[in-house]
Amino acid sequence: MCKLLDIDKSKTTPWHPQTNGFLERSHKTLKTYLRSFVDKDNNWDRLLCYAMFCYNTTVHSSTSYTPYELVFGRKPNIPSTFFKEPEPQYNYDNYVIDLKRMMQEAHKIARENLIKKKVLFYFVIREISHKFVILDFEFFPIDRYSKVLISGAISNSLDQFKITKLEGRPWYLPKGHEEVRPMSDREMHRAMMEIHRIFKKKTEIREACLKQLKISIKTSLNTLNPKFIKNYLDKGSKVCVIILFCGHSDKDILKKLNIYDYTMLNILCYDKNNNQSFYLQLENLKNKKMICEFDLGKIDKQGRLLNLVETHKLICNKKHKVTYAHDPCTDVRFTKCIFDYIIRRYRYENLIKHCY
């Protein structure tokens, strides 16, 4: 039977769930079952066997079969079928032949159902009217009102949130009505002096900014410019919605770059009642209206605002690769995780009502 079913025994290392992904995914579903009973019955461990029985005998939405049928090649004996007379027993050879035949038929129908689901998903995706673009800029103030735009990152839902680094000659964003412009070599030298002054005690941020400035001088890329960003936002026929995290400064930069004709949604995690109870909020930056908020519970934190890293830790358990402090690619990745959480809770069809 092991040869027929192509069973290959392997061992997994402790505290390394990546080696057994399928089991970890089923554990996630199992936790969802048990969560319904934790508040009602403290003896949740006694409910494990019933939860597993429920999972293994429930028809999967994609395959239209229960996990039990796909593993054993026959329907499980659930309580509603206990009154049936037992079927005659076969010898091992007959059992293996019948098992092979039934599993071939079950998997054939399962594959057909999966294809139908994929086709249906394709048409549903085509009917989506909006695309969501997650954007983050890396910048620093050069005086009280002016900024230097060093780099950035951008991704959108139509490209499955593949991250594009915005890199090139840094831009000087002056105060008032002066036009933005790529920085000259003299201004770059001044910017490096300002970085040393501003981030004198913040070594990690200082080194990251200086490194990015040096890369910007040598790079052949030219994606850090208003034309590229505008073309990226206008790509496709879907309504573009920009997603930012604590994005008031990013909004000001977009306005300076003359990129402002889009719906901008801002995510923040805020202690609105000043009692260390933090709420994940989504607001429309143009009309200042609150779209939705979710209570994340009490957090022992000084101050009333959580930063991106702190908010991400509350939402996502994945360990993402972090390159350096305030890396815009990492910030976009973290923002995407938080935005996914909001979409799951609030739903796409409700969100797009606020995006016009």
Side-chain angles (χ1 to χ4, degrees):
M1 280 184 60
C2 287
K3 186 177 181 180
L4 168 66
L5 299 176
D6 195 20
I7 296 174
D8 183 18
K9 295 182 180 179
S10 62
K11 296 180 180 179
T12 61
T13 54
W15 305 106
H16 193 255
Q18 292 89 339
T19 59
N20 202 4
F22 287 107
L23 181 62
E24 294 298 329
R25 183 61 185 85
S26 65
H27 284 173
K28 182 178 179 180
T29 304
L30 182 61
K31 290 177 182 177
T32 304
Y33 289 167
L34 293 175
R35 196 177 295 124
S36 304
F37 300 96
V38 167
D39 294 335
K40 302 174 184 178
D41 192 345
N42 291 328
N43 297 325
W44 59 268
D45 54 318
R46 296 183 181 179
L47 302 172
L48 281 173
C49 57
Y50 302 106
M52 285 306 303
F53 182 81
C54 178
Y55 177 82
N56 290 328
T57 57
T58 300
V59 175
H60 196 283
S61 60
S62 295
T63 64
S64 297
Y65 277 90
T66 64
Y68 187 97
E69 285 181 85
L70 295 179
V71 173
F72 296 104
R74 61 184 176 86
K75 292 183 179 295
N77 287 324
I78 57 177
S80 61
T81 61
F82 281 164
F83 65 90
K84 292 183 178 180
E85 294 184 4
E87 297 180 359
Q89 298 296 317
Y90 301 93
N91 58 39
Y92 289 116
D93 292 335
N94 289 336
Y95 175 76
V96 172
I97 292 172
D98 287 343
L99 176 64
K100 182 178 180 180
R101 177 182 57 81
M102 288 186 291
M103 290 190 69
Q104 285 176 340
E105 293 178 358
H107 281 277
K108 179 182 177 181
I109 297 173
R111 282 194 298 271
E112 293 174 353
N113 288 328
L114 280 172
I115 292 173
K116 291 178 182 178
K117 292 287 183 181
K118 288 180 180 179
V119 172
L120 178 62
F121 178 75
Y122 172 76
F123 284 108
V124 170
I125 289 297
R126 286 177 65 96
E127 293 174 2
I128 288 179
S129 57
H130 292 63
K131 71 172 180 180
F132 298 102
V133 176
I134 298 175
L135 178 65
D136 183 76
F137 288 123
E138 182 182 13
F139 63 93
F140 67 90
I142 201 168
D143 53 44
R144 187 174 179 183
Y145 300 103
S146 303
K147 297 183 179 71
V148 173
L149 179 58
I150 303 177
S151 67
I154 195 169
S155 70
N156 76 82
S157 54
L158 296 185
D159 292 336
Q160 298 181 343
F161 290 102
K162 180 182 177 181
I163 298 174
T164 300
K165 183 75 178 286
L166 301 177
E167 211 165 44
R169 193 79 175 180
W171 283 72
Y172 179 65
L173 311 177
K175 60 183 178 181
H177 298 288
E178 293 184 58
E179 290 188 2
V180 299
R181 63 179 185 275
M183 296 182 69
S184 64
D185 291 340
R186 184 177 180 180
E187 289 172 330
M188 291 276 286
H189 179 71
R190 180 193 168 198
M192 290 183 180
M193 303 258 316
E194 284 296 306
I195 289 175
H196 280 285
R197 182 185 66 82
I198 295 171
F199 302 117
K200 185 177 181 180
K201 296 182 179 180
K202 298 180 179 180
T203 308
E204 189 177 10
I205 299 177
R206 183 183 71 231
E207 294 304 317
C209 290
L210 290 173
K211 181 180 178 181
Q212 183 58 55
L213 274 178
K214 293 175 183 178
I215 292 173
S216 299
I217 295 172
K218 298 178 181 180
T219 185
S220 59
L221 294 176
N222 190 25
T223 54
L224 187 67
N225 66 78
K227 184 177 179 181
F228 177 87
I229 298 172
K230 188 80 165 57
N231 290 338
Y232 186 97
L233 296 173
D234 291 338
K235 183 180 178 181
S237 59
K238 310 296 183 184
V239 178
C240 180
V241 180
I242 299 175
I243 308 298
L244 307 168
F245 186 91
C246 290
H248 291 279
S249 295
D250 295 314
K251 183 195 76 171
D252 293 339
I253 291 175
L254 287 170
K255 188 175 181 180
K256 270 287 186 182
L257 297 176
N258 200 25
I259 303 173
Y260 200 64
D261 297 328
Y262 303 92
T263 298
M264 298 185 192
L265 304 185
N266 186 44
I267 303 172
L268 67 157
C269 195
Y270 183 61
D271 177 12
K272 66 176 186 178
N273 298 319
N274 200 18
N275 61 354
Q276 293 189 321
S277 292
F278 284 83
Y279 288 81
L280 183 65
Q281 299 177 334
L282 183 68
E283 64 174 349
N284 190 317
L285 281 180
K286 280 199 171 183
N287 56 25
K288 308 296 183 183
K289 288 185 178 180
M290 184 68 61
I291 298 174
C292 61
E293 64 178 10
F294 306 101
D295 186 1
L296 298 182
K298 283 190 173 290
I299 301 165
D300 187 11
K301 153 83 176 178
Q302 288 185 348
R304 301 182 65 181
L305 200 65
L306 295 185
N307 62 35
L308 178 59
V309 175
E310 293 169 333
T311 305
H312 180 264
K313 284 182 179 179
L314 296 175
I315 300 297
C316 181
N317 295 323
K318 294 180 182 179
K319 292 183 178 180
H320 299 283
K321 184 179 179 181
V322 179
T323 50
Y324 61 87
H326 297 283
D327 173 23
C329 291
T330 300
D331 290 352
V332 164
R333 193 172 291 113
F334 283 3
T335 304
K336 193 257 181 184
C337 292
I338 299 170
F339 182 64
D340 284 346
Y341 175 85
I342 294 173
I343 285 286
R344 288 195 300 269
R345 293 287 302 272
Y346 193 62
R347 310 302 298 173
Y348 168 84
E349 57 271 19
N350 294 324
L351 181 58
I352 61 174
K353 295 176 184 177
H354 302 272
C355 306
Y356 42 82

